[in-house]
Amino acid sequence: FRRVLFRSQVKVYVMFFAGLMAIAQMTVLPGALLLKCFPDRDRNVVESIAYAFGLSLVANAVLVSLLVLLHSYTATVVWWIIAAEVVALVWAAIHNRAGRDTANFNPGKLHAIFRPKDFITSLAVLFALATIFVFLRFCYQNWDTVFTGIDDVANWDRWACEWAAGQFPVPTWWYPQLLPANWSLTYLLIGTVDVKMFAKSVTALFPLLTLLLFAGLAARHKRLSHLLGLAVTGWLFLHYLGPAYMTWGYTDVPLAFFSFLAFYPVYVNRFLAPPAVPAAIPIQPLTLPGKQKPSEPLVSAPPNDIWLALTFVCASMLVKQGGIFALIACLAWLAYIAF
């Protein structure tokens, strides 16, 4: 009897560890690696977390679809991928002398917004902190719960179970599959579709990170309006959606998160950035005819903020069909900035 009890306890611990690793794969590991392709020394910790979270979800959706297409979506393959990502992140941390990539992690500016200098700013900071704590409590309450809504039980979670079985879900009625594909990672790694807590735990992160992005804006430019926007957005979430709807598993809040995330990098780099100091005009040396250097191309590659915006706005279409409106708005905005 003791051996049976010990084996059952070990099985529970192994399942719990596998569930935590599945959450890490959904939220951190691939996104942290991809974020190194978009360096920005002014990026604060909130922006790094939100970007890594969004990029991880996109990478997993593509990865799961590709593995299912190749009939290779198994726990063994996913564990090897996770191990490779961990090794790559550890190598990157060791390679950096400070153990921290300063191009993707700059917490210094975030501290400044929580040091108010007058009464109005202090009041805004208190409202912002209270709002963040409320949504952190929602994340805590959402832990160890299961899907209970109609659509998430009958459709979204059912599609995730079909992904975990190595099959393309049918019928989907043209609903995008970014979230179900990510949820399937938890079922695949823990070896059962009966434990829902790990997949559902991610749902509460979308409203929290949406609010934290306002704190990232305040850290960038120290504007009082951004802290007030954090509190007002939190009130709108609570008043019009409610805690239950935000954590049921519906895709409306994730769609809002990716749509906001698509506009965020361009907004902070093009509208909130300090004016650049004009550089001195270099004097071109005199060249003889016939020995002119080839002229440089007039059109350069899009900067990192544009690539991030396009990635996240395309991800919004993988969350729900309404992402097409975010795509149209984002492309129109980028065209306005460019021309």
Side-chain angles (χ1 to χ4, degrees), residues 258-279:
F258 274 106
S259 299
F260 184 28
L261 200 60
F263 287 87
Y264 188 95
V266 179
Y267 178 68
V268 297
N269 289 322
R270 303 301 175 98
F271 292 90
L272 297 185
V277 179

Side-chain angles (χ1 to χ4, degrees), residues 263 313 323-335:
F263 287 87
V313 77
I324 186 66
F325 298 105
L327 176 65
I328 295 174
C330 185
L331 292 179
W333 192 42
L334 294 178

Side-chain angles (χ1 to χ4, degrees), residues 223-240:
R223 284 185 178 178
L224 181 64
S225 58
H226 296 143
L227 292 179
L228 295 177
L230 189 157
V232 171
T233 303
W235 178 82
L236 292 175
F237 277 156
L238 294 176
H239 184 72
Y240 290 100

Side-chain angles (χ1 to χ4, degrees), residues 71-203:
H71 303 285
S72 301
Y73 191 40
T74 62
T76 303
V77 173
V78 175
W79 277 118
W80 277 109
I81 293 175
I82 292 176
E85 292 170 348
V86 172
V87 170
L89 287 174
V90 171
W91 179 86
I94 296 176
H95 185 69
N96 190 283
R97 294 181 179 178
R100 183 175 66 189
D101 191 353
T102 56
N104 296 309
F105 188 88
N106 186 8
K109 292 185 177 181
L110 196 64
H111 299 162
I113 65 174
F114 298 111
R115 297 174 182 173
K117 299 180 180 180
D118 51 54
F119 175 76
I120 300 298
T121 306
S122 302
L123 194 62
V125 169
L126 288 177
F127 275 110
L129 287 175
T131 305
I132 292 174
F133 285 141
V134 168
F135 280 81
L136 284 173
R137 181 170 177 80
F138 290 158
C139 293
Y140 173 76
Q141 293 175 339
N142 188 52
W143 181 255
D144 198 18
T145 60
V146 298
F147 295 107
T148 56
I150 298 176
D151 284 345
D152 52 351
V153 173
N155 294 317
W156 298 105
D157 186 57
R158 176 177 62 83
W159 293 332
C161 296
E162 294 183 14
W163 280 109
Q167 303 172 356
F168 288 101
V170 288
T172 61
W173 300 286
W174 300 102
Y175 276 93
Q177 296 293 305
L178 183 142
L179 286 182
N182 276 271
W183 294 347
S184 68
L185 288 168
T186 64
Y187 303 144
L188 184 70
L189 294 183
I190 65 179
T192 179
V193 297
D194 297 328
V195 180
K196 310 292 185 180
M197 58 178 288
F198 299 108
K200 191 174 184 295
S201 64
V202 183
T203 58

